[in-house]
Amino acid sequence: MADFLFEPHAPVSIPIARGGLFAVRRVYCVGRNYAEHIKEMGNDVRDPPFFFAKPADAVVVGGAAIPYPPQTSDFHHEVELVVAVGKDGADIAVETALDHVYGYACGLDMTRRDLQAIAKKAGRPWEMAKGFDQSAPIGTIEPASAIGHPDKGAITLSVNGSERQRGDLGDQIWSVAETIAFLSQFVTLKAGDIIMTGTPAGVGAVVRGDVIEGEIAGVGKVRTVIA
Ligand code: MN
């Protein structure tokens, strides 16, 4: 037993459909990947993708409730296709990028939109708007060996049963393969990394008591409640 000052934290893990656990190393997120959402946020569709990160322990699984976070009065939902990386690589070619995908899930990139707006205006980092505690509820991972590599299909989100977001994976500006190739030019991807691939239009605020349900056709669901 190493001489740790305190017991190291256990890895955060996401359940895999049909059994097993996917231990999370890092959580990367694509900033903008659906034209209609880019327009609703007042940005230029032609901009290349950019990335930010959340800490691994922001991941919440099993449909657990999440708290309404401090330091915001504009807490937003973003439903996203989540890519689970299963094979290490850097400078990955688009043509072989999908070989690095273990599987897929449906997830939520929860956002303190008011803090993000302040950060954008001031040219400051997004961490406190995006990478806060329990900001990434994620559903079960479906292996690509079972479901393939989805590149079309409805991605939707409802709050209290009322639909708020609807898009199609086919409307992603950057495909999963292109996203992996692009991101791996900046960082070495490792098994255990997950990539949240951006949200379609319709983002909006939630309040305490709201039930959020996301679904991606052929991939799966995610659910949480704002406690
Ligand atoms: Mn997002």
Side-chain angles (χ1 to χ4, degrees):
M1 178 67 188
D3 188 21
F4 290 115
L5 177 61
F6 51 85
E7 193 65 25
H9 300 288
V12 173
S13 57
I14 303 171
I16 299 168
R18 302 171 190 83
L21 294 170
F22 182 93
V24 179
R25 190 186 82 115
R26 293 182 181 173
V27 180
Y28 294 105
C29 303
V30 180
R32 295 168 188 143
N33 207 17
Y34 291 82
E36 292 305 313
H37 174 59
I38 292 171
K39 288 180 201 161
E40 78 179 346
M41 300 299 289
N43 295 304
D44 191 329
V45 178
R46 293 165 301 178
D47 286 345
F50 66 93
F51 301 92
F52 59 91
K54 294 178 187 254
D57 70 359
V59 171
V60 176
V61 299
I66 61 173
Y68 194 96
Q71 300 295 329
T72 187
S73 55
D74 197 20
F75 186 37
H76 275 211
H77 53 76
E78 297 189 358
V79 64
E80 312 208 353
L81 174 69
V82 175
V83 176
V85 175
K87 180 182 161 191
D88 300 0
D91 287 321
I92 298 165
V94 172
E95 293 72 25
T96 58
L98 294 182
D99 297 344
H100 294 262
V101 177
Y102 171 75
Y104 298 90
C106 183
L108 303 174
D109 168 16
M110 298 304 293
T111 302
R112 293 194 279 213
R113 194 71 74 200
D114 40 5
L115 295 193
Q116 185 192 32
I118 292 167
K120 282 181 179 175
K121 197 171 178 186
R124 290 180 184 152
W126 287 14
E127 268 86 352
M128 294 300 108
K130 289 288 196 177
F132 52 94
D133 299 341
Q134 294 165 277
S135 58
I138 294 177
T140 304
I141 294 173
E142 285 281 354
S145 60
I147 65 164
H149 296 277
D151 58 3
K152 59 177 81 70
I155 174 169
T156 58
L157 179 139
S158 68
V159 178
N160 304 325
S162 169
E163 186 174 287
R164 297 278 186 89
Q165 289 189 262
R166 174 171 287 272
D168 193 286
L169 297 182
D171 295 333
Q172 288 197 327
I173 295 167
W174 302 90
S175 70
V176 168
E178 289 168 333
T179 298
I180 288 169
F182 202 90
L183 179 57
S184 74
Q185 294 174 14
F186 294 87
V187 290
T188 298
L189 293 176
K190 301 245 182 192
D193 290 344
I194 65 172
I195 306 168
M196 306 187 75
T197 59
T199 197
V203 299
V206 291
V207 298
R208 287 182 183 83
D210 280 350
V211 177
I212 307 174
E213 294 172 294
E215 182 168 6
I216 302 173
V219 174
K221 299 180 180 181
V222 63
R223 182 184 192 277
T224 192
V225 180
I226 311 300

